[in-house]
């Protein structure tokens, strides 16, 4: 298992990590299998979405923030319940086939670390299994 | 890795793909392991949900459409930001155990390609690893 | 593949299952690989979220319930469409790296069976593949 870190710069902040994940997969030498990108946090996650127009990423960030407002009838003492809710909506891992030594991502697919309670430094684990 | 295509017929359209996934898994001959169903698009995804009453599937489609309206304060020039948001809510992959040569799906579980910006023809990748 | 059961005690009820999953993983003897926790139901799921303050878990439960009200313009005859919607939002599986014989969970990460149409007894499958 490989681990790298990502630094976020706002409360809600999606950071593309395709390069870091691809490098970790290539280092294993595995040609055919599955890659798991796992975020070991409860207020940051990972998603796969549009990598071309930054406005698409910003629309996802702002729409999730409208759906789950930061201030609400929450009881959790840390005050970041909205981040926990968005974390469970978006998911803790990306699971991507490896085909002929490469991630089988679509042309427009970017892998994003999804920060929901930043800015912070986050860990990302990459684990690979072969077919 | 196997790939098949699915044709959607509306903007939001969930299409059951159990048969195509089962066929791909059986072709590998693997008896014990994991199957990953991966959609290499950013406005279509995959979910597992009720396969019996079509009204259940339609309620999921229409509820997600109400939660994330097509028209909203979006900036992405393509005009399909709602589809991108729903994609990150529903998830890019299904991960299913293979047990004694079969997908370990529950009785009522259907695998669905989730179209959020159709109608289009979509690719679905199936990758399998053995235990 | 290992299977265990969880008993829920309310309509919406998140039950922590770290111990059951860890036991199943240790029994395999696998040191390096991936663990899939799969829920073979369509109105119960699995998520990973905060394990320390019970109020965080309760805020996630109640916020999802507010976002997807139990009563709404649903057509599914069983009357539990809200549970099906939340199931597709939260996801059917947890996928966790195994590193040096242990689940690579973060300090604050709990694995939860997410009941959305309880109380019921639910099955949870654990499948493991090695790197």
């Amino acid at each position: 298992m490989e681990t790298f870190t990502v630094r976020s710069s706002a409360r809600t902040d999606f950071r593309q990590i395709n390069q870091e994940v691809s490098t970790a997969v290539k280092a294993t030498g595995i040609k055919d299998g599955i890659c798991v990108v796992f975020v070991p946090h409860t207020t940051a996650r990972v998603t796969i979405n549009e990598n071309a127009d930054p406005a698409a990423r910003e629309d996802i960030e702002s729409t999730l923030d409208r759906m789950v407002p930061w201030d609400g009838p929450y009881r959790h003492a840390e005050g970041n319940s909205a981040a926990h809710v968005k974390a469970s909506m978006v998911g803790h891992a990306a699971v991507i086939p490896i085909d002929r030594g490469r991630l089988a991502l679509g042309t427009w697919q970017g892998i994003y670390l999804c920060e929901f309670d930043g800015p912070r430094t986050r860990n990302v684990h990459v684990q690979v299994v072969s077919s």
Side-chain angles (χ1 to χ4, degrees), chain A residues 2 15 19 21 24 35 39 50 53 55 59 70 79 84 93-94 109 111 116 120:
Chain A
E2 295 291 314
R15 312 288 291 202
Q19 191 56 57
V21 176
C35 166
V39 176
E50 154 110 22
D53 179 7
D59 283 345
W70 190 260
H84 288 288
Q109 288 190 315
I111 311 167
F116 293 120
R120 298 202 205 190

Side-chain angles (χ1 to χ4, degrees), chain A residues 14-18 39 45-53 57 109-114:
Chain A
F14 287 21
R15 312 288 291 202
Q16 197 170 324
I17 57 174
N18 284 38
V39 176
R45 291 298 156 108
V46 61
T47 195
I48 294 178
N49 220 308
E50 154 110 22
N51 61 16
D53 179 7
R57 188 199 68 232
Q109 288 190 315
I111 311 167
Y112 289 93
L113 182 284
C114 304

Side-chain angles (χ1 to χ4, degrees), chain A residues 26-47:
Chain A
K26 280 177 191 157
T28 66
I30 286 177
K31 297 300 179 198
D32 200 46
I34 288 169
C35 166
V36 175
V37 182
F38 181 88
V39 176
H41 305 286
T42 58
T43 55
R45 291 298 156 108
V46 61
T47 195

Side-chain angles (χ1 to χ4, degrees), chain A residues 9-114:
Chain A
S9 62
R11 182 185 281 167
T12 300
D13 187 13
F14 287 21
R15 312 288 291 202
Q16 197 170 324
I17 57 174
N18 284 38
Q19 191 56 57
E20 292 88 337
V21 176
S22 289
T23 299
V25 169
K26 280 177 191 157
T28 66
I30 286 177
K31 297 300 179 198
D32 200 46
I34 288 169
C35 166
V36 175
V37 182
F38 181 88
V39 176
H41 305 286
T42 58
T43 55
R45 291 298 156 108
V46 61
T47 195
I48 294 178
N49 220 308
E50 154 110 22
N51 61 16
D53 179 7
R57 188 199 68 232
E58 293 162 14
D59 283 345
I60 301 165
E61 295 172 349
S62 61
T63 304
L64 291 172
D65 284 350
R66 280 196 306 277
M67 294 174 76
V68 188
W70 190 260
D71 296 309
Y74 307 125
R75 298 176 48 224
H76 179 39
E78 283 185 273
N80 60 355
S81 286
H84 288 288
V85 174
K86 286 180 281 189
S88 276
M89 289 170 60
V90 164
H92 57 282
V95 182
I96 308 162
I98 302 168
D99 185 47
R100 288 166 286 179
R102 295 167 56 100
L103 292 169
L105 291 168
T107 308
W108 309 110
Q109 288 190 315
I111 311 167
Y112 289 93
L113 182 284
C114 304

